Amino acid sequence: MRRHELTDAAWVRIEPFLPGQVRRGGRWLDHRTVLNGILWKLATGAPWRDLPERYGNWKTVYERYRRWAADGTFDQVLTCVQVHDDAIGRIDWTVSIDSTIVRAHQHAAGARKKREPAGTNRQALGRSRGGLTSKLHLAVDGRGLPLALAVTAGNVNDCTVFDQIMIDIRVPRPGRGRPRTRPDRVIADKAYSSRAVRAHLRTRGIGCTIPERSDQRAGRSRRASRGGRPPAFDPAAYRQRNVVERCINRLKQWRGIATRYDKLARHYRAAVTLVSALLWITT
């Protein structure tokens, strides 16, 4: 086994959730070889055309990666490993949320533009003084393992994606019963300090540990008694938020994630999803 390739234990966990291998004309490249090629590409950040010959034709590996990204295969793998850990009680439902900027390579631009509603950014690319960027939003459990993720343009405000991230936290039960969708507590930084976020959590009965921004404190002081009481904040619980930062660091050890080379946001999200599933399997 070479670097960046699946171990036997990881392959046993992933194999049942991959599509069946239907033999067609010619020689069929098995799924494990394809996955190892995908992981090599994500670990090195190299172009698809530079894929080593031991992984087969680069077009075959890319086409299967593109197909699995489109049909939700990687999402299914991540969901199934989450279900397994939840069934044995390993998930810590103290959830931390944060985001990170991802620099987009110039090759990530130039995807075909189809008809899009006004005001949308289908490929999740933003432009700033530093160039093209995307933003990766994450919700992780108390061990620092991804429960939900989203990819947006780099100039999107964190709190505007909060509802979407919370909706995407959904771990089905192995048998009967509704999926687990409600964390015990949510920990986030000042970027998520807004009335809408706190109201969302309060409505769902979820505790939160979010520090108040200085401008919000000043505004409340100016209004005196009309400003209301300050939101509750537990400094000891807030120290646990570092798990999401550690998760981001682990994801960005993969060069194909630390820098976005994919033209399609769907493909970049699939890469993060696949690596997230590996984190669950190997932790």
Side-chain angles (χ1 to χ4, degrees):
M1 186 185 69
R2 296 181 172 88
R3 289 183 64 198
H4 316 308
E5 295 187 354
L6 291 170
T7 63
D8 291 339
W11 173 244
V12 169
R13 296 283 303 277
I14 292 177
E15 182 183 15
F17 311 115
L18 298 179
Q21 300 189 35
V22 181
R23 291 192 174 274
R24 301 175 182 176
R27 187 177 178 182
W28 178 261
L29 193 61
D30 68 277
H31 284 341
R32 184 169 184 175
T33 302
V34 170
L35 266 180
N36 286 333
I38 294 171
L39 293 176
W40 182 90
K41 196 271 181 190
L42 297 179
T44 61
W48 285 103
R49 293 176 182 272
D50 294 341
L51 201 69
E53 294 182 358
R54 63 178 177 268
Y55 299 120
N57 189 302
W58 71 268
K59 289 185 178 180
T60 301
V61 178
Y62 170 73
E63 283 301 318
R64 214 169 295 181
Y65 172 72
R66 182 188 61 80
R67 190 182 313 130
W68 289 345
D71 64 14
T73 296
F74 296 127
D75 292 285
Q76 181 182 3
V77 172
L78 178 58
T79 298
C80 290
V81 296
Q82 291 173 349
V83 170
H84 174 270
D85 278 25
D86 187 45
I88 59 178
R90 293 187 63 194
I91 296 183
D92 183 346
W93 284 97
T94 300
V95 172
S96 298
I97 296 180
D98 204 355
S99 67
T100 181
I101 291 291
V102 177
R103 179 69 182 271
H105 193 270
Q106 58 183 353
H107 292 165
R112 290 184 178 180
K113 294 183 179 180
K114 300 181 180 179
R115 294 182 179 179
E116 303 176 11
T120 62
N121 190 337
R122 190 163 176 264
Q123 302 310 334
L125 285 175
R127 188 177 294 277
S128 64
R129 291 184 178 181
L132 295 173
T133 57
S134 293
K135 185 176 282 190
L136 176 61
H137 305 261
L138 283 174
V140 305
D141 76 338
R143 297 175 298 159
L145 298 177
L147 287 169
L149 60 96
V151 178
T152 66
N155 56 352
V156 171
N157 192 287
D158 290 354
C159 63
T160 61
V161 191
F162 180 82
D163 287 357
Q164 177 185 342
I165 289 291
M166 293 298 296
I167 291 172
D168 290 343
I169 298 177
R170 184 181 179 87
V171 179
R173 308 290 185 178
R176 293 183 176 181
R178 296 180 179 179
R180 175 74 185 260
T181 60
R182 189 172 65 178
D184 296 329
R185 176 167 292 274
V186 170
I187 305 175
D189 61 15
K190 295 180 180 179
Y192 298 89
S193 179
S194 72
R195 289 186 178 180
V197 168
R198 297 183 192 276
H200 174 94
L201 296 173
R202 186 166 53 251
T203 301
R204 296 184 59 188
I206 302 173
C208 69
T209 302
I210 304 175
E212 191 178 24
R213 297 200 312 264
S214 59
D215 62 322
Q216 293 174 338
R217 287 197 302 269
R220 187 165 39 77
S221 298
R222 285 195 303 270
R223 291 191 296 271
S225 60
R226 293 177 300 170
R229 290 179 293 182
F233 177 72
D234 185 356
Y238 188 69
R239 296 191 189 101
Q240 302 177 34
R241 195 187 68 85
N242 67 85
V243 295
V244 66
E245 296 175 350
R246 296 207 304 266
C247 178
I248 290 171
N249 289 337
R250 293 179 68 184
L251 290 174
K252 285 192 171 183
Q253 289 177 6
W254 297 72
R255 296 186 179 184
I257 292 178
T259 301
R260 175 180 166 179
Y261 298 97
D262 301 279
K263 291 184 183 296
L264 301 184
R266 179 180 64 203
H267 291 177
Y268 179 75
R269 185 187 181 280
V272 180
T273 303
L274 174 59
V275 175
S276 297
L278 288 180
L279 294 182
W280 280 85
I281 292 172
T282 56
T283 300

